[in-house]
């Protein structure tokens, strides 16, 4: 057996989420009737699929497809695509950006691997970390740091906003940004909770980042101007201190692996260098499909008029179904649905772990994601009961699947509380 290096071991190690994703994948293949309420896939929205098909047809008939397939792009991304992104964002939001402020990666996930390890880790004998100001956060970040203790996370403040509903806030009073912090990072809207940081919270984080001379990274995978899966008032922001990431995944093109980083020229050049080292160039088909739609801002319109209403409606239906299925027999609530594709449940005082709840639900043909995975980087010994009471359920599936799945979840949770 070859001996792996420290980094080799870290990158190839079994992570909880890898095991869980394997388990989910196996369950789906061995059990075709499984109700998949676990994934982060976008829904197959017919209007959007028609747009992709039309674009693929145009690329083929115009001969552009031949050029796309046979050429490597420059590592920073297709120049025409970067121009289109910069021009459209400038026109839409008035940001002072050019194509030099745009860098493409093979999906948003890769952008985070690059950004985190570019900014945090060992530097001049000192350890620098990524601060997560509001925990729970996206599980995909958790294993990306190339050194130990990579994240410093702060538990959210939990506000009860109504019967059966809560909302997270950043706990600014206890948000201590030490000299070891290399960057602040938050997804907006947030996977898993569907929370959307308010404009005021983003403004405060931006000021804190500026005072410390560190970047604020905003993960806009579900946000504006595309895919627009955001249901509360939220103004997109960018300046040289902010690194904003976008992706073509949640609008319907996850298979093209296209991430977009909007940042200072220095950061974008660094991302391009990392792309060259890691993979020479990026996947270019997503850029080719989306370029004219971004140039004309038609993708922004489709996000507003098609994608957002689609997910908002799915979220509202799912919440109705939940209210009917759970009634008031057991303690339950869900995070206010302000964006993304998920309902984030909380069962205060749940007598079993959410991993156990996951196993029992899988037995009964429903796949969810146990909440514990979304709490990482909390101080050692931190025993926040909240992290053992939550569960993520996707509402992007068809109403039937969501209805059947939620009925089973409600039944199982009730029987756990009663036993
Ligand atoms: N950020 C968030 C919050 C996500 O939920 C995801 C995917 O689920 C990503 C980033 C990465 O997506 P992709 O690599 O497909 O762009």
């Amino acid at each position: 057996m070859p001996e792996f290096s420290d980094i080799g071991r870290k990158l190839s190690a079994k992570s909880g989420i890898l095991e869980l994703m394997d388990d989910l994948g196996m369950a789906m293949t061995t059990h075709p009737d499984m109700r998949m309420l676990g994934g982060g896939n976008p829904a197959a929205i017919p209007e959007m699929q028609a747009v992709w098909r039309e674009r693929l047809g145009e690329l083929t008939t115009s001969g552009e497809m031949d050029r796309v397939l046979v050429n490597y792009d420059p590592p920073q991304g297709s120049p025409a695509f970067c121009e289109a992104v910069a021009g459209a964002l400038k026109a839409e939001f008035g940001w002072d950006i050019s194509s030099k402020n745009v860098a493409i990666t093979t999906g948003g996930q890769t952008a985070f691997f690059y950004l985190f390890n570019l900014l945090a880790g060992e530097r001049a004998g000192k350890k620098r970390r990524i601060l997560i100001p509001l925990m729970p956060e996206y599980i995909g970040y958790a294993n990306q740091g190339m050194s130990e203790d990579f994240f410093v996370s702060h538990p959210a403040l939990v506000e009860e906003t109504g019967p059966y509903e809560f909302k997270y806030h950043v706990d600014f009073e206890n948000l201590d940004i030490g000299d070891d912090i290399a960057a602040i990072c938050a997804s907006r809207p947030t996977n898993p909770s569907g929370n959307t940081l308010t404009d005021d919270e983003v403004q405060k984080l931006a000021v804190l980042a500026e005072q410390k001379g560190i970047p604020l990274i905003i993960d806009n995978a579900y946000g504006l101007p595309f895919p627009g899966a955001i249901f509360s008032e939220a103004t997109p922001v960018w300046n040289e201190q902010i690194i904003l990431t976008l992706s073509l995944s949640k609008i319907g093109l996850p298979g093209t692996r296209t991430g977009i980083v909007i940042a200072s020229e220095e950061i974008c050049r660094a991302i391009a260098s990392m792309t060259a080292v890691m993979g020479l160039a990026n996947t270019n088909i997503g850029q080719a499909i989306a370029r004219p739609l971004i140039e004309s801002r038609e993708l922004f319109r489709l996000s507003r008029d098609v994608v957002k209403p689609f997910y908002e409606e799915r979220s509202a239906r799912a919440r109705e179904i939940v209210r009917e299925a759970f009634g008031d027999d057991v303690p339950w609530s869900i995070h206010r649905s302000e964006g993304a594709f998920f309902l984030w449940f909380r069962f205060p005082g749940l007598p079993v772990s959410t991993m156990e709840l996951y196993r029992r639900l899988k037995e009964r043909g429903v796949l969810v994601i146990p909440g514990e995975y979304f709490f990482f980087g909390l101080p050692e010994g931190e025993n926040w009961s909240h992290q053992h009471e939550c569960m993520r359920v996707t509402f992007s599936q068809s109403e039937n699947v969501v209805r059947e799945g939620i009925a089973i979840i409600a039944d199982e949770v009730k029987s756990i509380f009663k036993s």
Side-chain angles (χ1 to χ4, degrees):
M1 283 285 278
E3 282 196 10
F4 289 171
S5 68
D6 287 348
I7 286 186
R9 276 207 307 279
K10 187 142 185 40
L11 278 174
S12 60
K14 276 201 172 150
S15 60
I17 192 64
L18 172 69
E19 281 180 31
L20 180 78
M21 292 312 284
D22 267 352
D23 193 39
L24 289 174
M26 287 303 286
M28 284 302 286
T29 38
T30 54
H31 196 326
D33 300 330
M34 195 63 94
R35 294 152 195 98
M36 180 45 153
L37 303 186
N41 270 20
I45 305 175
E47 289 97 314
M48 295 310 295
Q49 294 196 294
V51 172
W52 311 138
R53 264 186 236 115
E54 192 182 322
R55 277 296 300 141
L56 284 170
E58 285 168 5
L59 285 168
T60 312
T61 46
S62 68
E64 194 181 339
M65 183 74 97
D66 296 338
R67 286 194 295 281
V68 168
L69 294 181
V70 83
N71 286 314
Y72 291 112
D73 267 348
Q76 196 159 330
S78 144
F81 184 74
C82 294
E83 288 282 346
V85 169
L89 291 178
K90 192 173 189 164
E92 185 84 3
F93 302 126
W95 297 340
D96 180 19
I97 63 169
S98 77
S99 60
K100 291 183 179 159
N101 300 108
V102 181
I104 306 306
T105 57
T106 44
Q109 187 71 14
T110 307
F112 282 92
F113 182 80
Y114 289 171
L115 289 168
F116 289 161
N117 291 294
L118 180 68
L119 299 166
E122 293 281 332
R123 180 168 174 241
K126 292 206 176 112
K127 197 159 230 177
R128 288 162 58 78
R129 300 177 170 83
I130 300 292
L131 180 108
I132 307 279
L134 192 157
M135 196 48 35
E137 239 316 342
Y138 173 47
I139 175 64
Y141 305 150
N143 295 92
Q144 288 202 317
M146 287 295 91
S147 53
E148 299 307 316
D149 298 329
F150 200 79
F151 295 98
V152 177
S153 304
H154 287 259
L157 278 180
V158 185
E159 183 196 358
E160 306 290 336
T161 43
Y164 311 114
E165 192 196 75
F166 65 100
K167 171 170 166 56
Y168 291 143
H169 298 279
V170 178
D171 183 3
F172 281 102
E173 259 182 39
N174 293 303
L175 193 68
D176 175 27
I177 305 184
D179 290 338
D180 62 332
I181 299 304
I184 304 172
C185 175
S187 58
R188 183 192 199 219
T190 307
N191 173 359
S193 58
N195 183 52
T196 296
L197 292 177
T198 62
D199 286 353
D200 186 47
E201 284 174 316
V202 171
Q203 171 66 20
K204 280 188 179 144
L205 290 174
V207 168
L208 287 171
E210 197 169 346
Q211 283 167 354
K212 286 281 173 183
I214 56 174
L216 168 63
I217 308 174
I218 302 176
D219 181 348
N220 197 29
Y222 299 89
L224 294 167
F226 57 85
I230 187 159
F231 321 133
S232 63
E233 282 300 309
T235 316
V237 287
W238 183 79
N239 61 43
E240 289 261 321
Q241 198 89 31
I242 293 177
I243 303 175
L244 185 72
T245 65
L246 296 98
S247 166
L248 294 185
S249 293
K250 309 301 176 182
I251 187 98
L253 297 174
T256 70
R257 312 306 302 128
T258 315
I260 304 166
V261 177
I262 311 295
S264 67
E265 291 186 21
E266 190 190 3
I267 297 274
C268 289
R269 275 196 305 273
I271 296 277
S273 302
M274 294 172 97
T275 293
V277 171
M278 300 287 282
L280 300 183
N282 292 294
T283 43
N284 54 10
I285 188 72
Q287 297 175 67
I289 293 171
R291 185 189 41 76
L293 299 168
I294 291 181
E295 221 159 48
S296 63
R297 289 192 275 161
E298 173 66 2
L299 200 66
F300 304 1
R301 187 197 66 76
L302 287 163
S303 299
R304 259 191 316 268
D305 296 350
V306 176
V307 181
K308 175 190 161 141
F310 177 92
Y311 286 111
E312 201 168 21
E313 153 77 17
R314 289 253 158 131
S315 163
R317 275 307 289 140
R319 281 177 287 133
E320 264 172 49
I321 294 169
V322 166
R323 273 191 294 273
E324 282 162 24
F326 276 86
D328 49 15
D329 295 352
V330 286
W332 68 273
S333 53
I334 38 182
H335 191 284
R336 182 182 283 177
S337 181
E338 299 178 317
F341 302 165
F342 317 104
L343 293 187
W344 181 240
F345 281 81
R346 180 180 176 209
F347 304 114
L350 185 72
V352 300
S353 71
T354 60
M355 195 63 207
E356 174 59 20
L357 177 58
Y358 158 77
R359 278 193 215 100
R360 293 188 191 195
L361 291 172
K362 190 176 73 166
E363 281 292 298
R364 297 187 60 182
V366 185
L367 289 176
V368 299
I369 306 274
E372 271 104 351
Y373 288 108
F374 299 90
F375 297 85
F376 53 91
L378 289 171
E380 202 124 310
E382 166 85 55
N383 199 11
W384 189 28
S385 59
H386 191 96
Q387 61 186 304
H388 306 296
E389 299 172 338
C390 297
M391 183 179 82
R392 196 190 80 179
V393 171
T394 306
F395 58 65
S396 59
Q397 300 295 306
S398 74
E399 186 176 330
N400 251 0
V401 171
V402 172
R403 181 177 291 286
E404 285 174 20
I406 286 173
I408 295 170
I409 296 170
D411 188 61
E412 189 60 42
V413 170
K414 285 177 195 176
S415 82
I416 289 175
F417 269 103
K418 275 185 201 132
S419 63

